């Protein structure tokens, strides 16, 4: 079946969202696995282990959904949606500075899980609307949403058990904080995209100048033929 | 202490060598981050090694980085500049990613442990490969070293002669962008597999190809050895890796070979286009074999040497080693267990040790299992996971091995997570999935159900040297390579091994000769009276993930796959 221009744009948008979600889910699996390894309390280790396992399964589900939708697409489009594990860092789903458990206090980490699982569920609701035409994918995402809600409940339970001084409204505040953070993050990225458009000609000009300058650079000077490699200065960057 | 670092380009890693010239520990960042091919600054690996060995910054003498960062940053830029304005996007991308390049190592070290950056020195990239390979050789004098990779500092392949450990002279180099490694990666990309990850798949697929097919011939014309200039000639108009961020090949290659493979369509041997892609893979594999032979012949003409070290990413191409060993002048060919960039951290660390000691000293051969770990580290932590999901069948090492052997005899698949981890990408028993190598059903289950690998990829066999000699054409030149599963070998003509499920379609197998006293050796001793002398051995992971490093990783693999048994340092576990 040939897609019209509008349908093609819509399909590309769905593929982009599935591709991003796939990376996000794999990132979550790794975050939870890291949390499992970084904690010592029995229940918490077990809980994070199970959570990581669920996220790995979600990743697999999204891989399958993406692959099914894309296998009949033109190869040049399909190539752009390949999943590579290091894409998780490049896309920012795992921070270059470390996993959340390595950078946050345990309490903040639990609060993060508590709020983000709920936010994830909401974004899955949006995906559901996009793929409602495919019953199998629809059901798979519904199952994932149930898992997200369960994870949210578990984080809440843990929170209230180990931090009894915190009241439910504290959790609401955490949720609000994360929601605002997510919104500002989105604004930040939109802003970056906008700045990209403005500055692209400048970057290109600088790269062009740099490129022509580099043509003058004689790198043959640094060739090593017949040189004892053990004698090359170890302080030199070249 | 001397710390070697490899990072920013391929899998990053840390190696630590002590003042006696011993490799104390080695750790890949991907083992800890669980991100396959993690190339970021190896902060977790460095932190772990410093913690478990109680290393204080005062006892760190030097930190050695595995390449010359400015060379490796500037030379691709200079080459791309020649294609301006077509390469403008590439230049913009590279310049904007300056802070993610290896030049940043100085700042990353400062961030990790202020002061450490002052001890940072840099080593020529191909020298770090050479030194890594040299460590696994008995003799450290009068050997020729051949390094072939994608790109390093300024060149893509080099020939050096090691007069002695302090005198390593470079004699020949192939300059970027003429690169055998990047050629193979481009074909990998064209075949729909991920670069730096799918090259094994191309190697496995090539066995199904026909060398005389039109597609194989077309691919073989893309890269050649020039007998006049004695160098690699690539038809660069078919490639874009040197001037494009998103495409490794140009439209011309698509016009030549037809549509590239859609990465999302599974590639099965009965598919319509399978043969075409297998033929392309065959063409690429034959090109690699042919050019490597030419490089070795040129090395012989330059050095007259009979002993060769071979390293760099292309040395991971185990299918080419057999034909190299057949060259009349090769008496010994050594490939280190981790010939790629991550292993170069080891050579870098030793560079610090060698250059800090004016008197030439012998360097000690590192173990095949240098990454320090013991399951007991995490036993207390995972008590609840084990009690809820597993059953400890045996907590005694001897009886655990006996039960494991019986299970293997009964067609079961066993995961192992024993003591230290392997250096390279190949699991050699301590982080393995094992089953009876002659049980077709078990091997198929291991390969396609547990590992979720493409059915055209073979599973490797592990055996003793005596067993190997009965079934395979073992080459004395490659004896060290067999220990780390680095080379394939052919089955003996008309031998039953041709029908073994661990033998590939082209009648070869990437065998592992087990080391004495290793876990595989112990298992094979028990299995022999039961009639099993060959184990199928694959790495303990799910396809696409790094090999398991610790106990929690292995429990996760058990939980996510049908794998039921796990042999650990504290006994044998069975999934409930």
């Amino acid at each position: 079946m040939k897609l019209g221009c509008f349908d093609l744009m819509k399909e590309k948008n769905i593929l982009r969202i599935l591709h991003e979600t796939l990376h996000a889910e794999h990132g979550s699996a790794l975050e939870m696995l890291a949390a499992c390894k970084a904690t010592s309390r029995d229940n918490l280790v077990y809980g994070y282990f199970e959570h990581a396992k669920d996220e790995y399964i979600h990743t697999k589900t999204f891989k399958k959904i993406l692959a099914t939708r894309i296998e009949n697409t033109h190869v040049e489009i399909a190539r752009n949606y390949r999943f590579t594990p290091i894409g998780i860092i490049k896309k920012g789903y795992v921070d270059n500075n470390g996993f959340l458990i390595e950078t946050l206090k345990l309490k903040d980490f639990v609060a993060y899980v508590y709020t983000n699982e709920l936010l994830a569920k909401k974004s899955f609701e949006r995906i559901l609307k996009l793929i409602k035409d495919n019953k199998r994918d629809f059901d798979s995402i519904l199952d994932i949403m149930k898992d997200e809600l369960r994870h949210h409940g578990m984080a809440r339970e843990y929170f209230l058990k180990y931090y009894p001084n915190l009241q439910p409204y504290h959790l609401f505040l955490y949720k609000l904080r994360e929601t605002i953070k997510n919104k500002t993050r989105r604004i930040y990225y939109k802003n970056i995209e906008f700045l990209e458009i403005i500055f692209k000609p400048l970057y290109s000009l600088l790269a062009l100048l740099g490129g022509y300058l580099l043509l003058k650079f004689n790198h043959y000077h640094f060739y090593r033929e017949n040189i004892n490699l053990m004698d090359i200065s170890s302080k030199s960057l070249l | 202490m001397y710390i070697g670092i490899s990072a920013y380009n391929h899998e990053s890693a840390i190696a630590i060598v002590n003042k006696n010239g011993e490799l104390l520990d080695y750790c890949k960042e991907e083992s800890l981050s669980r991100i396959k091919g993690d190339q970021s600054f190896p902060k977790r690996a460095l932190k772990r090694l410093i913690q478990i060995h109680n290393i204080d910054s005062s006892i760190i003498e030097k930190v050695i980085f595995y390449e010359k960062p400015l060379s490796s940053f500037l030379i691709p830029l200079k080459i791309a500049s020649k294609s301006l304005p077509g390469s403008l996007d590439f230049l913009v991308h590279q310049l904007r990613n300056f802070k993610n390049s290896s030049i940043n190592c100085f700042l990353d070290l400062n961030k990790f442990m202020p002061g450490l950056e002052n001890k940072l020195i840099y080593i020529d990239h191909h020298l770090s490969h050479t030194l890594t390979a040299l460590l696994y050789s008995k003799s450290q004098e009068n050997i020729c070293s051949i390094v072939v990779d994608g790109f390093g500092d300024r060149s893509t392949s080099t020939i050096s002669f090691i007069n002695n450990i302090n005198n390593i002279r470079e004699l020949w180099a192939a300059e970027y962008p003429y690169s055998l490694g990047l050629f193979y990666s481009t074909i990998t990309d064209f075949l729909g597999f991920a670069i730096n990850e799918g090259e094994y798949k191309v190697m496995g697929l090539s066995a199904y190809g026909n060398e005389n097919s039109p597609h194989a011939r077309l691919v073989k014309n893309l890269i050649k050895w020039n007998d006049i200039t004695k160098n690699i000639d690539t038809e660069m108009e078919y490639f874009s890796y040197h001037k494009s961020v998103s495409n490794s090949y140009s439209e011309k290659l698509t016009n030549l070979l037809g549509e590239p493979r859609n990465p999302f369509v599974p590639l099965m041997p009965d598919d319509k286009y399978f043969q075409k892609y297998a033929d392309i893979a065959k063409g690429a594999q034959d090109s690699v074999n042919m050019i490597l032979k030419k490089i070795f012949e040129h090395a012989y003409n330059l050095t007259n040497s009979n002993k060769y070290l071979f390293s760099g990413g292309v040395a991971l191409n185990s299918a080419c080693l057999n034909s190299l060993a057949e060259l009349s002048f090769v008496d010994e060919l050594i490939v280190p267990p981790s010939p790629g960039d991550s292993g170069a951290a080891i050579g870098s660390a030793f560079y610090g040790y060698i250059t800090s000691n004016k008197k030439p000293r012998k360097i000690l051969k590192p173990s095949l299992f240098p990454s320090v770990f013991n399951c007991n580290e995490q036993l207390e932590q995972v008590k609840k996971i084990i009690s809820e999901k597993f059953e400890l069948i045996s907590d005694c090492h001897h009886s655990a091995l006996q039960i494991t052997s019986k299970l293997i005899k009964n067609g079961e698949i066993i995961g192992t997570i024993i003591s230290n981890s392997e250096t390279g990408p190949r699991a050699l028993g301590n982080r393995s999935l094992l089953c009876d190598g002659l049980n077709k059903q078990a091997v198929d289950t291991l390969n396609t159900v547990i590992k979720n690998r493409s059915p055209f990829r073979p599973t490797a066999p592990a055996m003793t040297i005596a067993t190997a000699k009965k079934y395979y054409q073992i080459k004395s030149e490659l004896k060290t390579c067999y220990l780390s599963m680095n080379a394939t070998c052919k089955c003996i003509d008309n031998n039953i091994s041709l029908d073994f499920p661990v033998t590939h379609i082209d009648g070869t197998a990437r065998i592992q000769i087990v080391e004495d006293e290793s876990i595989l050796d112990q298992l094979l001793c028990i299995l022999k009276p039961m009639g099993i002398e060959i184990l199928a051995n694959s790495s303990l992971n799910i396809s696409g993930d790094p090999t398991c490093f610790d106990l929690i990783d292995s429990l996760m693999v058990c939980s996510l796959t049908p794998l039921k048994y796990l042999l650990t340092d504290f006994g044998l576990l069975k999934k409930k």
Side-chain angles (χ1 to χ4, degrees):
Chain A
M1 192 181 68
K2 222 169 178 181
L3 294 174
C5 183
F6 178 73
D7 289 336
L8 190 67
M9 272 170 65
K10 191 183 159 196
E11 188 56 27
K12 272 192 182 175
N13 187 38
I14 295 175
L15 293 178
R16 187 187 58 79
I17 291 171
L18 289 172
H19 187 238
E20 289 296 322
T21 315
L22 165 58
H23 281 86
E25 288 297 300
H26 195 67
S28 302
L30 299 181
E31 288 284 0
M32 290 306 136
L33 189 66
C36 170
K37 291 179 185 182
T39 43
S40 52
R41 204 177 284 162
D42 260 7
N43 284 339
L44 217 47
V45 173
Y46 183 73
Y48 287 137
F49 182 83
E50 286 293 292
H51 192 157
K53 187 180 140 193
D54 287 343
E55 300 290 353
Y56 273 117
I57 294 169
H58 299 172
T59 309
K60 202 176 161 189
T61 307
F62 273 100
K63 268 186 194 168
K64 215 186 266 176
I65 295 175
L66 185 67
T68 320
R69 283 196 93 94
I70 221 164
E71 62 183 9
N72 295 321
T73 314
H74 191 271
V75 62
E76 288 306 325
I77 297 174
R79 279 163 49 83
N80 298 326
Y81 298 100
R82 273 191 285 197
F83 170 76
T84 52
I86 47 171
I88 299 162
I89 300 178
K90 288 180 180 164
K91 286 174 177 289
Y93 291 111
V94 168
D95 196 297
N96 219 355
N97 291 323
F99 290 115
L100 290 168
I101 195 77
E102 294 166 340
T103 52
L104 295 177
K105 286 180 188 158
L106 183 61
K107 189 172 136 188
D108 287 335
F109 179 74
V110 179
Y112 180 88
V113 175
Y114 165 78
T115 52
N116 271 279
E117 291 297 312
L118 208 59
L119 295 172
K121 188 187 156 275
K122 278 186 184 164
S123 64
F124 288 137
E125 280 165 3
R126 285 195 287 273
I127 297 175
L128 272 186
K129 281 182 194 158
L130 290 171
I131 58 149
K132 58 180 181 240
D133 53 326
N134 186 320
K135 170 126 184 27
R136 200 187 51 196
D137 295 351
F138 190 89
D139 290 345
S140 306
I141 294 182
L142 268 185
D143 287 344
I144 293 177
M145 283 167 67
K146 281 180 205 156
D147 281 347
E148 304 291 354
L149 214 54
R150 189 163 46 83
H151 298 152
H152 165 79
M154 280 160 63
R156 179 189 161 89
E157 199 180 303
Y158 177 86
F159 219 124
L160 296 175
K161 185 176 171 189
Y162 288 98
Y163 303 100
N165 292 336
L166 289 171
Q167 294 302 310
Y169 76 86
H170 283 115
L171 291 178
F172 172 76
L173 289 178
Y174 271 119
K175 200 172 108 187
L176 190 67
R177 190 179 72 178
E178 279 305 315
T179 313
I180 293 169
K181 262 193 193 170
N182 276 354
K183 290 246 188 264
T184 46
R185 207 176 292 140
R186 239 172 265 160
I187 294 168
Y188 174 78
Y189 282 111
K190 287 274 172 210
N191 199 19
I192 293 269
E193 278 171 26
F194 178 67
L195 290 173
E196 276 286 329
I197 298 167
I198 293 179
F199 284 108
K200 188 148 191 220
L202 183 66
Y203 292 142
S204 300
L205 184 68
L206 287 173
L208 201 65
L209 286 173
Y212 285 124
L213 272 177
L214 271 169
L215 284 174
K216 307 272 175 212
F217 161 66
N218 181 7
H219 63 286
Y220 294 101
H221 180 67
F222 299 99
Y223 282 4
R224 316 276 195 232
E225 208 166 307
N226 278 321
I227 288 177
N228 180 2
L229 299 174
M230 298 297 281
D231 284 345
I232 298 169
S233 163
S234 56
K235 293 281 176 197
S236 164
L237 293 167
L238 266 164
Chain B
M1 297 281 181
Y2 305 92
I3 298 181
I5 300 180
S6 84
Y8 304 101
N9 299 313
H10 293 283
E11 308 104 326
S12 48
I14 295 284
I16 298 189
V17 169
N18 68 13
K19 60 179 175 23
N20 302 319
E22 286 168 311
L23 178 64
L24 199 62
D25 205 335
Y26 166 80
C27 190
K28 283 199 270 188
E29 185 70 0
E30 69 169 23
S31 300
L32 304 178
S33 72
R34 309 305 301 151
I35 299 171
K36 178 93 173 162
D38 193 344
Q39 55 196 44
S40 52
F41 178 76
K43 51 191 172 298
R44 295 180 188 91
L46 188 53
K47 187 177 169 193
R48 175 180 164 82
L49 267 45
I50 281 180
Q51 268 175 1
I52 63 173
H53 297 288
N54 282 324
I55 296 170
D56 186 67
S57 70
S58 62
I59 60 164
I60 299 173
E61 299 223 12
K62 279 177 186 168
V63 180
I64 308 96
F65 190 65
Y66 82 133
E67 68 175 11
K68 297 280 188 183
L70 205 53
S71 286
S72 61
F73 180 75
L74 285 179
I75 287 175
L77 280 181
K78 157 132 189 166
I79 300 299
S81 301
K82 291 179 182 171
S83 308
L84 274 169
S87 58
L88 192 59
D89 281 349
F90 180 87
L91 284 173
V92 171
H93 178 268
Q94 293 298 100
L95 290 168
R96 290 189 65 187
N97 276 285
F98 178 80
K99 68 177 179 63
N100 297 327
S101 71
S102 54
I103 297 168
N104 210 34
C105 186
F106 184 85
L107 297 174
D108 279 331
L109 264 179
N110 168 274
K111 212 158 115 185
F112 178 81
M113 194 188 267
L116 205 56
E117 75 279 9
N118 297 325
K119 297 177 180 176
L120 181 64
I121 58 170
Y122 306 94
I123 171 178
D124 177 88
H125 181 64
H126 282 195
L127 177 62
S128 67
H129 279 305
T130 294
L131 289 176
T132 305
L134 188 62
L135 300 171
Y136 297 89
S137 163
K138 268 186 194 160
S139 150
Q140 279 140 16
E141 287 177 355
N142 301 322
I143 309 177
C144 177
S145 165
I146 293 174
V147 181
V148 185
D149 58 9
F151 168 67
D153 285 3
R154 71 216 176 275
S155 45
T156 63
S157 310
T158 49
I159 297 171
S160 311
F161 189 71
I162 303 158
N163 291 301
N164 60 58
I165 206 149
N166 289 309
N167 188 349
I168 300 173
R169 213 161 272 275
E170 185 175 297
L171 302 174
W172 171 87
E175 306 306 338
Y176 179 81
Y178 305 103
S179 165
L180 198 53
L182 293 176
F183 157 77
Y184 205 76
S185 292
T186 303
I187 298 297
T188 302
D189 190 23
F190 187 86
L191 292 173
F193 307 119
I195 291 177
N196 294 334
E197 206 186 306
E199 282 80 358
Y200 296 117
K201 296 180 190 172
V202 178
M203 197 165 55
L205 183 61
S206 69
Y208 290 82
N210 174 1
E211 60 184 347
N212 296 317
S213 65
H215 281 105
R217 283 185 188 176
L218 288 172
V219 173
K220 282 190 250 185
N221 283 332
L222 296 174
I223 189 163
K224 288 193 166 154
W225 176 260
N226 186 326
D227 276 320
I228 299 162
T229 59
K230 302 285 177 204
N231 222 312
I232 299 170
D233 260 355
T234 315
E235 300 290 339
M236 289 311 294
E237 67 267 30
Y238 293 94
F239 300 90
S240 296
Y241 56 75
H242 58 301
K243 56 182 181 187
S244 165
V245 186
S246 51
N247 282 325
S248 60
Y249 53 87
S250 71
E251 220 179 299
K252 237 182 143 179
L253 190 72
T254 310
N255 295 337
L256 183 77
L257 299 176
E259 194 165 270
R261 187 184 144 253
N262 183 334
F264 289 90
V265 180
L267 190 59
M268 306 303 261
D270 300 330
D271 289 348
K272 189 177 159 194
Y273 292 110
F274 181 84
Q275 196 55 47
K276 172 190 157 182
Y277 296 130
D279 290 344
I280 292 173
K282 178 71 179 167
Q285 186 60 40
D286 282 357
S287 298
V288 168
N289 289 354
M290 185 271 292
I291 290 177
L292 283 177
K293 271 186 179 176
K294 293 288 184 185
I295 294 175
F296 271 70
E297 280 166 5
H298 188 49
Y300 178 65
N301 289 336
L302 291 172
T303 64
N304 228 9
S305 176
N306 301 112
K307 288 182 185 171
Y308 292 87
L309 307 174
F310 181 31
S311 55
V314 177
L316 283 164
N317 191 312
S318 51
C320 67
L321 294 191
N322 202 55
S323 59
L324 294 177
E326 279 170 0
L327 292 167
S328 59
F329 54 84
V330 174
D331 287 345
E332 192 178 12
L333 179 55
I334 293 164
V335 177
S338 183
D341 275 7
S342 56
I346 299 175
S348 306
F350 272 97
Y351 174 82
Y353 167 75
I354 296 161
T355 50
S356 296
N357 292 282
K358 285 189 179 150
K359 283 182 199 164
R361 288 193 195 179
K362 254 208 158 332
I363 42 182
L364 300 165
K365 185 178 172 182
S367 147
L368 291 174
F369 305 94
S371 298
V372 176
F373 181 78
N374 190 299
C375 289
N376 293 316
E377 261 184 51
Q378 285 179 328
L379 189 54
E380 192 59 28
Q381 201 182 0
V382 298
K383 234 170 31 192
K384 185 165 177 186
I385 301 174
I386 290 181
S387 68
E388 294 276 330
K389 295 182 158 285
F390 294 87
E391 185 188 334
L392 185 62
I393 302 180
S394 165
D395 61 358
C396 150
H397 179 70
H398 182 70
S399 87
L401 286 182
Q402 293 285 346
I403 299 169
T404 302
S405 304
K406 279 182 196 154
L407 289 167
I408 290 174
K409 171 75 185 161
N410 292 337
E412 293 289 351
I413 297 161
I414 311 289
T416 62
I417 181 94
I418 311 271
S419 180
N420 291 2
S421 171
E422 291 83 346
T423 328
R426 275 106 191 201
L428 304 175
N430 285 13
R431 300 288 183 279
S432 287
L433 283 166
L434 304 170
C435 71
D436 175 0
L438 302 195
N439 182 333
K440 188 169 183 333
Q441 198 187 347
V443 174
D444 283 350
T445 308
L446 187 159
N447 203 18
T448 54
V449 180
I450 294 183
K451 297 272 296 194
N452 195 21
R453 291 165 87 193
S454 322
F456 59 81
R457 290 181 68 191
T459 306
M463 64 199 86
T464 61
I465 181 76
T467 307
K469 283 180 176 168
K470 282 199 286 183
Y471 302 115
Y472 296 100
Q473 299 179 27
I474 299 300
K475 293 202 180 299
S476 57
E477 298 87 349
L478 294 173
K479 60 178 192 260
T480 56
C481 296
Y482 297 135
L483 295 176
S484 47
M485 221 190 249
N486 269 338
T488 57
C489 60
K490 291 179 190 158
C491 292
I492 293 174
D493 295 339
N494 302 319
N495 191 276
I496 48 164
S497 56
L498 284 160
D499 296 324
F500 288 172
V502 285
T503 298
H504 203 21
I505 185 109
D506 59 352
T508 65
R510 194 178 41 151
I511 65 162
Q512 178 194 355
I513 306 278
V514 299
E515 268 192 324
D516 288 348
E517 305 297 318
S518 65
I519 191 76
L520 292 186
D521 187 43
Q522 292 173 44
L523 274 174
L524 283 165
C525 274
I526 304 169
L527 282 164
K528 201 175 175 189
M530 298 181 191
I532 295 177
E533 46 185 3
I534 296 177
L535 288 167
N537 179 9
S538 188
S539 53
L540 180 65
N541 65 338
I542 307 168
S543 181
D545 277 354
T547 303
C548 292
F549 176 70
D550 60 26
L551 182 59
I552 294 178
D553 300 334
S554 62
L555 296 176
M556 185 57 78
V557 170
C558 268
S559 299
L560 288 167
T561 66
L563 179 66
K564 282 194 279 189
Y565 297 96
L566 199 58
L567 183 63
T568 71
D569 289 316
F570 54 85
L572 181 65
L573 293 173
K574 183 186 178 191
K575 191 162 74 179
K576 280 182 187 168

